[in-house]
Amino acid sequence: AGNLKMPEGGSASVIYNSAQLGHTSTLGNGGGIYVTSSTSEVDVEVYSGSIMHNTSDIHGGGICVDMSGNDSVANVVVGSSGSASVVNPDISKNTAVMYGGGLYAIGENAMVTINSGRIMDNYVANYVSNENVTNQHGTVVLNGGDVTHVVVTFDANAPDATVDGASVAYQNIVTATNSFLVQPLSIQRDLYNFVNWNTRPDGMGVTYTNGQLMNISEDMTLYAQWVAQ
């Protein structure tokens, strides 16, 4: 579907040197790039160029990473993590009918890392809070770039507690649709056990657990809840 389709068999693809994938329409997922595999791991790296003006009749106008029901893993990297010789990619002005005008990831084995570049100005025919990136049960890690996102602040909620070694930690979530709440690397408090997260310091708000699916459309703060040992 679209300009580039990853075949079965775990092939790797690197897109760079200002490649242009555009003006393609597909009767399915993935207007510009469609990534899937049921047999072995696939790796796709989009380091530069543009994915623009593509259309999908379902999901993922620019890129669709479809690992729903697959046991294998798809690793998709968008943007350079620091090389000055790589021009950051532009994924924009793509359209999907349902979800993910720019990028759509589905399935627990859909692993997407966005280091840099631009995923903006995409469109979906049906309203969702983030038209640019939609994540259904996958893992989308945002390290940088111009990407619509919300920020979740994790507050240790006690003067003697830490989250990732500090009193607060932050997580960028690139979509408001079915994103996993990623567990902080470490949360510690002597003589106490961590219970869960809550939208209020006193625990009387909405409760979230590590790994839970979230549907949020604005920045939020979660407070650690503790029980004495």
Side-chain angles (χ1 to χ4, degrees):
N3 289 295
L4 186 151
K5 181 173 181 177
M6 292 301 300
E8 298 285 353
S11 297
S13 179
V14 180
I15 299 173
Y16 59 97
N17 289 342
S18 299
Q20 295 183 355
L21 303 178
H23 297 282
T24 297
S25 179
T26 179
L27 299 176
N29 294 320
I33 299 175
Y34 181 68
V35 181
T36 189
S37 175
S38 60
T39 57
S40 57
E41 182 174 319
V42 293
D43 298 287
V44 177
E45 300 169 338
V46 183
Y47 282 151
S48 68
S50 62
I51 303 173
M52 301 176 66
H53 302 288
N54 300 288
T55 301
S56 166
D57 282 353
I58 307 179
H59 306 304
I63 300 175
C64 178
V65 186
D66 182 2
M67 302 304 291
S68 55
N70 292 339
D71 293 330
S72 52
V73 175
N75 297 299
V76 176
V77 177
V78 177
S80 169
S81 59
S83 174
S85 63
V86 176
V87 179
N88 293 320
D90 185 3
I91 303 172
S92 62
K93 303 186 186 306
N94 301 287
T95 301
V97 171
M98 295 298 293
Y99 296 118
L103 186 149
Y104 177 73
I106 182 170
E108 293 185 7
N109 291 321
M111 308 294 178
V112 178
T113 301
I114 303 172
N115 291 317
S116 59
R118 183 175 184 272
I119 308 179
M120 296 290 288
D121 299 325
N122 297 284
Y123 174 76
V124 291
N126 293 320
Y127 173 77
V128 293
S129 11
N130 186 345
E131 295 185 304
N132 295 296
V133 180
T134 298
N135 175 25
Q136 296 267 8
H137 302 185
T139 298
V140 179
V141 178
L142 177 60
N143 295 325
D146 187 8
V147 183
T148 303
H149 66 281
V150 297
V151 178
V152 179
T153 301
F154 297 94
D155 191 313
N157 199 26
D160 56 343
T162 60
V163 182
D164 288 350
S167 58
V168 295
Y170 305 93
Q171 175 189 335
N172 294 323
I173 294 182
V174 299
T175 174
T177 305
N178 291 338
S179 287
F180 282 113
L181 174 63
V182 178
Q183 181 176 356
L185 296 177
S186 63
I187 178 166
Q188 297 179 337
R189 187 183 182 188
D190 291 341
L191 304 179
Y192 284 82
N193 292 325
F194 172 76
V195 179
N196 52 40
W197 299 100
N198 198 276
T199 55
R200 286 179 45 169
D202 60 7
M204 300 302 291
V206 179
T207 295
Y208 290 95
T209 58
N210 287 322
Q212 180 176 334
L213 287 174
M214 303 176 69
N215 292 279
I216 60 174
S217 57
E218 57 186 14
D219 295 351
M220 68 185 304
T221 299
L222 297 177
Y223 300 88
Q225 303 299 304
W226 304 95
V227 62
Q229 294 178 353

